[in-house]
Amino acid sequence: MASVQQNGQRYGITEPISLGGPTELDVVKTRELEKYLQDVGLYESKEEAVRREEVLGRLDQIVKTWIKTISRGKGLNDQLLHEANAEIFTFGSYRLGVHGPGADIDTLCVGPRHATREGDFFGELQRMLSEMPEVTELHPVPDAHVPLMGFKLNGVSIDLLYAQLPLWVIPKDLDISQDSILQNADEQTVRSLNGCRVTDQILRLVPNIENFRTTLRCMRFWAKRRGVYSNVSGFLGGINWALLVARICQLYPNALPNMLASRFFRVYTQWRWPNPVLLCSMDEGSLGLQVWDPRRNPKDRLHMMPIITPAYPCMNSSYNVSASTLRIMTGEFQRGKDICEAMEANKADWDTLFEPFAFFEAYKNYLQIDISAANVDDLRKWKGWVESRLRQLTLKIERHTYDMLQCHPHPHDFQDASRPLHCSYFMGLQRKQGVPAAEGEPFDIRRTVEEFKHTVNGYMLWIPGMEISVSHIKRRSLPSFVFPGGVRPSHASKGTWDSKRRAEHRVSSTASAATTTTATTTTNEASSESKAGSNSPGDEKKRKRGDDETLADQLRNSKQVAVPVPAENGEGGSPDPSVGSICSSPMKDSCTNGKSDPINTDPQENVVVFNKEDAPESHPIEKIATPQAPTSEETEELEGSFDFGNQVTATANIPPFEATTSNGSPLFSNEALEELEVLPMRQPEVTHRAPVQQRKPIIKLNFTSLGKTNGK
């Protein structure tokens, strides 16, 4: 398997797309980007950095005092008491070096075998912290998937995890990157160690750490501005964005952040999900821990956007992504690609790329989820639980409407200043593009919402006062507290990139828009390299020609791999038209198997009717260019239905890779692998099955408000 050699270090599982260095214009543009990120406040001051180091030093003292205390209490001999030790490690954004002012510090305490999680970490250490005046907002979460304690130490937010190793003494020079550290460790310890191990491995696998950090800061800021930074909502969190950026750094090892940001959008616009993103070959290990493997684990086949962690045991860090959030993110990647190409032609700037997404202008219909509790502490617990379940509401709605009604969750909550013990969440609703809005065919999702509320109210720690209501709300009736400053804008945003695209979409037909977009994409793809980076056209053409030759060599010499997914219920599907071209075999959406029952409706209640007069506004992410424009039949298929056999598609844009284990053997078995000649392009081969009658949403059903909110 080809690899990159640079300074004796190997990066990635394929050769890079380009080894070309930066041009003078790249240097200038990167300086502009760095200044932009500084001006928007993404870097902490030197004083705050020093304070963080002091806080970490104080935390280290606390856990060392704690371990001595419990060792003495358990009657350990003098030697073990003298050597008793616990170590603090950092991970996440702080360890990666991309944290901003006021950000949490993710920390891990590693203790010996006699310091238990339940009795000592959440017992004695919690008691010690609660009695310290410099510790505030202490919030233990012992029953979380990864148990932790959250608190502020001298005003700095800390998330503290615990790993209990089967050692009597924790050495001061403990190396947690070694796989042997996981031997005989319990499952919660393995998960707690995973954050540190993954973070350190990422830093080892990128060619240039400083370029990686600047690019990651850029992409994190962009994702937050565009509303796609939230793991719990089904988008991507910090570790996911770090892995995606690290892969781009491997593909362009000598590029500066200006070029890396542009190539980020170019690569992931054309990525064929669910092909996994890998920074290194997958290690099956010798400890018997479960790793991500669609051959053996049926649940892994349902993952929509696999982004695999590089440390053993390799896991999919983005299992929360659904068909709808993947659609939204691929649309945002396309938007970023278009803007970067416009920037190369001096027709846009960094402000354009980082324009906030106007969520409350994008749709005409929303779901409003209101929750309340009796006091602040109860509300914090209730919020955490509800947020963890909101993704299920999105999945249920799309499943019960057979993907005809699409949801766009807002990643954050909103609070009305006049109601301190309440908060609200919102989801944008729209009919699937390409589905005719027949008059009198609204959606009834009352039973879906009732199921969701029943699930949420099953919270084990529920107490009286914890309430939830779900209601449909029109854009014109949105509460004022969702807008900046609590003031509803008098008119929609004008002059932004998104508003211009919406205007263009309204004045052109769907067919002409698709043709224009495809033609523009083809032209831009051929010319964008020559526009970027240099005032010398000759130098830039030479760099572009070299990249193309390298890519052609990779296509001739590389194999392509497909993740096989057996057909479910004998039904076929079609590819998601929003996804670009890279080798993969799309997977069937896990959200299309449900059935909804007929429900008697009250015609007097409020309804959501998507008629021509009340169609959802054009959303900027729906206008997505793909290397091969889908047919009209494909665009009308359910986007979430991804099963169409073991298809493998060649690409002339992104280098294919061969997923392998650490010993060089294919990750997927022969039955799971289709080899394809890469020179000719061919249409996807669809396995012919017996025709199955198309399931449709129930007609003449109403979508009604559930749980009215105060003041609505």
Side-chain angles (χ1 to χ4, degrees):
M1 183 170 56
S3 62
V4 180
Q5 295 290 337
Q6 183 172 324
N7 298 327
Q9 176 67 46
R10 167 177 163 171
Y11 300 101
I13 60 172
T14 64
E15 290 185 0
I17 294 176
S18 171
L19 287 172
T23 64
E24 292 182 5
L25 187 57
D26 285 330
V27 175
V28 172
K29 290 290 188 181
T30 293
R31 288 175 182 166
E32 292 178 359
L33 174 60
E34 290 172 343
K35 184 179 186 303
Y36 188 98
L37 298 179
Q38 289 174 348
D39 290 345
V40 296
L42 296 189
Y43 293 85
E44 68 179 358
S45 64
K46 292 182 179 179
E47 294 76 15
E48 185 173 357
V50 170
R51 188 156 65 95
R52 286 179 183 272
E53 293 179 2
E54 293 173 347
V55 164
L56 286 173
R58 174 61 178 142
L59 181 60
D60 186 63
Q61 293 175 355
I62 292 172
V63 298
K64 283 177 167 52
T65 301
W66 162 70
I67 204 67
K68 296 283 188 183
T69 301
I70 64 170
S71 298
R72 186 179 298 109
K74 295 189 177 186
L76 270 63
N77 61 45
D78 292 343
Q79 181 179 351
L80 289 178
L81 183 59
H82 176 73
E83 296 176 347
N85 184 42
E87 289 294 323
I88 290 291
F89 297 87
T90 61
F91 63 100
S93 63
Y94 183 81
R95 177 71 180 95
L96 289 172
V98 296
H99 61 287
D104 296 349
I105 304 180
D106 295 313
T107 57
L108 169 70
C109 174
V110 178
R113 63 188 305 166
H114 58 274
T116 65
R117 178 177 291 102
E118 293 78 11
D120 297 321
F121 182 76
F122 286 107
E124 179 62 21
L125 181 57
Q126 180 181 333
R127 185 195 62 78
M128 290 173 57
L129 292 172
S130 66
E131 295 175 355
M132 294 179 178
E134 65 265 44
V135 174
T136 58
E137 301 181 23
L138 178 61
H139 179 54
V141 191
D143 54 350
H145 185 65
V146 182
L148 60 87
M149 278 196 289
F151 55 91
K152 285 188 176 181
L153 181 57
N154 289 327
V156 176
S157 296
I158 301 286
D159 283 338
L160 181 63
L161 281 59
Y162 182 63
Q164 179 186 2
L165 297 185
L167 303 173
W168 284 108
V169 177
I170 301 299
K172 294 183 179 180
D173 58 350
L174 179 68
D175 182 4
I176 61 175
S177 66
Q178 299 298 318
D179 291 351
S180 58
I181 203 77
L182 304 176
Q183 192 158 9
N184 299 323
D186 61 74
E187 188 174 343
Q188 291 175 321
T189 290
V190 172
R191 287 197 293 262
S192 298
L193 286 166
N194 192 52
C196 290
R197 288 166 51 81
V198 168
T199 302
D200 289 348
Q201 188 73 345
I202 290 173
L203 294 175
R204 293 189 189 99
L205 291 172
V206 294
N208 185 300
I209 291 178
E210 287 307 314
N211 289 342
F212 163 74
R213 284 172 171 163
T214 301
T215 308
L216 181 53
R217 283 186 187 273
C218 170
M219 299 315 305
R220 284 163 56 97
F221 180 62
W222 170 84
K224 291 175 181 178
R225 298 281 280 186
R226 299 303 300 172
V228 291
Y229 189 101
S230 174
N231 185 283
V232 72
S233 298
F235 296 107
L236 301 181
I239 189 62
N240 311 128
W241 294 109
L243 291 168
L244 292 182
V245 170
R247 185 67 185 120
I248 300 303
C249 291
Q250 291 179 337
L251 294 174
Y252 299 90
N254 298 319
L256 291 181
N258 164 66
M259 182 177 177
L260 291 171
S262 172
R263 297 311 181 263
F264 179 96
F265 294 116
R266 177 175 298 184
V267 169
Y268 292 121
T269 293
Q270 299 175 72
W271 198 271
R272 288 299 298 269
W273 308 105
N275 223 34
V277 173
L278 298 165
L279 298 188
C280 57
S281 54
M282 295 182 63
D283 186 1
E284 293 182 347
S286 59
L287 303 179
L289 299 176
Q290 181 173 308
V291 299
W292 185 83
D293 187 347
R295 298 173 307 173
R296 301 168 183 166
N297 309 322
K299 288 184 178 180
D300 292 346
R301 303 174 192 173
L302 301 176
H303 293 167
M304 309 295 298
M305 192 182 188
I307 304 172
I308 310 305
T309 56
Y312 176 76
C314 298
M315 306 174 186
N316 176 24
S317 64
S318 52
Y319 57 85
N320 273 349
V321 173
S322 66
S324 88
T325 52
L326 176 59
R327 171 183 57 84
I328 293 164
M329 287 187 285
T330 52
E332 288 296 337
F333 292 158
Q334 180 66 46
R335 173 189 178 274
K337 175 178 177 288
D338 293 343
I339 292 176
C340 285
E341 290 177 351
M343 291 172 65
E344 291 167 357
N346 294 320
K347 295 181 180 179
D349 54 20
W350 294 113
D351 277 328
T352 309
L353 181 66
F354 297 125
E355 281 176 2
F357 175 58
F359 180 83
F360 292 109
E361 295 178 13
Y363 303 97
K364 287 189 175 180
N365 295 280
Y366 296 86
L367 275 187
Q368 179 173 341
I369 301 97
D370 293 294
I371 66 172
S372 60
N375 56 62
V376 174
D377 189 55
D378 288 350
L379 181 61
R380 183 177 66 246
K381 296 176 183 177
W382 189 225
K383 278 181 60 177
W385 169 250
V386 172
E387 286 175 359
S388 72
R389 309 315 299 168
L390 282 175
R391 174 175 166 271
Q392 296 302 318
L393 178 58
T394 300
L395 296 177
K396 285 177 181 290
I397 290 175
E398 295 188 346
R399 181 176 70 239
H400 292 173
T401 62
Y402 308 108
D403 285 347
M404 297 300 179
L405 183 62
Q406 296 176 333
C407 302
H408 183 166
H410 194 288
H412 305 296
D413 65 280
F414 295 84
Q415 285 193 290
D416 185 350
S418 64
R419 305 169 69 196
L421 296 179
H422 295 70
C423 72
S424 302
Y425 300 88
F426 293 86
M427 291 183 181
L429 299 174
Q430 69 175 7
R431 185 181 293 273
K432 182 183 185 296
Q433 288 296 294
V435 176
E439 187 170 355
E441 190 179 344
F443 297 104
D444 185 341
I445 61 172
R446 290 179 298 174
R447 176 167 294 185
T448 304
V449 172
E450 284 297 334
E451 287 180 7
F452 167 74
K453 291 171 62 180
H454 179 75
T455 300
V456 170
N457 285 323
Y459 180 39
M460 291 183 63
L461 301 180
W462 184 91
I463 59 175
M466 293 181 174
E467 302 292 341
I468 181 170
S469 65
V470 182
S471 58
H472 161 239
I473 188 171
K474 295 281 189 176
R475 182 175 61 195
R476 60 179 175 268
S477 302
L478 286 167
S480 59
F481 62 79
V482 304
F483 300 104
V487 178
R488 181 187 302 274
S490 57
H491 52 77
S493 302
K494 295 182 179 179
T496 65
W497 178 276
D498 294 342
S499 65
K500 291 176 182 177
R501 287 302 175 96
R502 283 197 293 267
E504 292 173 3
H505 189 74
R506 282 193 293 267
V507 299
S508 61
S509 67
T510 302
S512 64
T515 303
T516 302
T517 305
T518 304
T520 303
T521 302
T522 304
T523 303
N524 289 343
E525 191 64 36
S527 63
S528 60
E529 287 284 356
S530 62
K531 294 177 183 178
S534 176
N535 295 324
S536 172
D539 292 344
E540 195 56 41
K541 288 180 180 179
K542 185 183 296 183
R543 180 167 76 168
K544 176 67 166 60
R545 186 165 57 250
D547 290 356
D548 291 342
E549 291 172 356
T550 300
L551 195 53
D553 290 340
Q554 291 180 355
L555 290 171
R556 283 193 294 270
N557 298 327
S558 301
K559 295 180 180 179
Q560 296 179 329
V561 66
V563 180
V565 182
E568 297 180 17
N569 302 326
E571 294 184 90
S574 62
D576 185 343
S578 69
V579 183
S581 175
I582 195 170
C583 56
S584 75
S585 177
M587 299 182 180
K588 187 169 182 65
D589 183 15
S590 60
C591 309
T592 59
N593 301 327
K595 295 182 179 180
S596 55
D597 300 323
I599 307 170
N600 294 326
T601 60
D602 182 354
Q604 302 301 319
E605 294 182 352
N606 296 329
V607 296
V608 177
V609 182
F610 294 92
N611 297 327
K612 293 180 180 179
E613 297 79 16
D614 192 31
E617 268 200 356
S618 299
H619 189 274
I621 68 173
E622 290 156 5
K623 185 178 176 183
I624 300 172
T626 57
Q628 295 181 353
T631 65
S632 59
E633 292 180 356
E634 288 176 336
T635 57
E636 293 183 4
E637 291 288 340
L638 299 184
E639 288 186 357
S641 187
F642 279 84
D643 175 30
F644 55 105
N646 293 336
Q647 176 207 335
V648 183
T649 305
T651 173
N653 297 301
I654 306 301
F657 64 81
E658 180 178 358
T660 65
T661 60
S662 58
N663 60 13
S665 61
L667 171 61
F668 308 106
S669 62
N670 291 335
E671 291 78 6
L673 183 64
E674 275 194 16
E675 295 185 11
L676 176 67
E677 290 288 335
V678 295
L679 295 180
M681 297 290 287
R682 69 176 183 180
Q683 294 296 323
E685 295 182 2
V686 181
T687 303
H688 296 285
R689 303 183 177 92
V692 178
Q693 185 175 0
Q694 177 80 30
R695 294 178 297 181
K696 296 182 179 180
I698 298 170
I699 310 299
K700 298 180 181 179
L701 296 182
N702 294 333
F703 168 81
T704 61
S705 299
L706 286 171
K708 297 181 179 179
T709 58
N710 295 336
K712 303 296 185 296

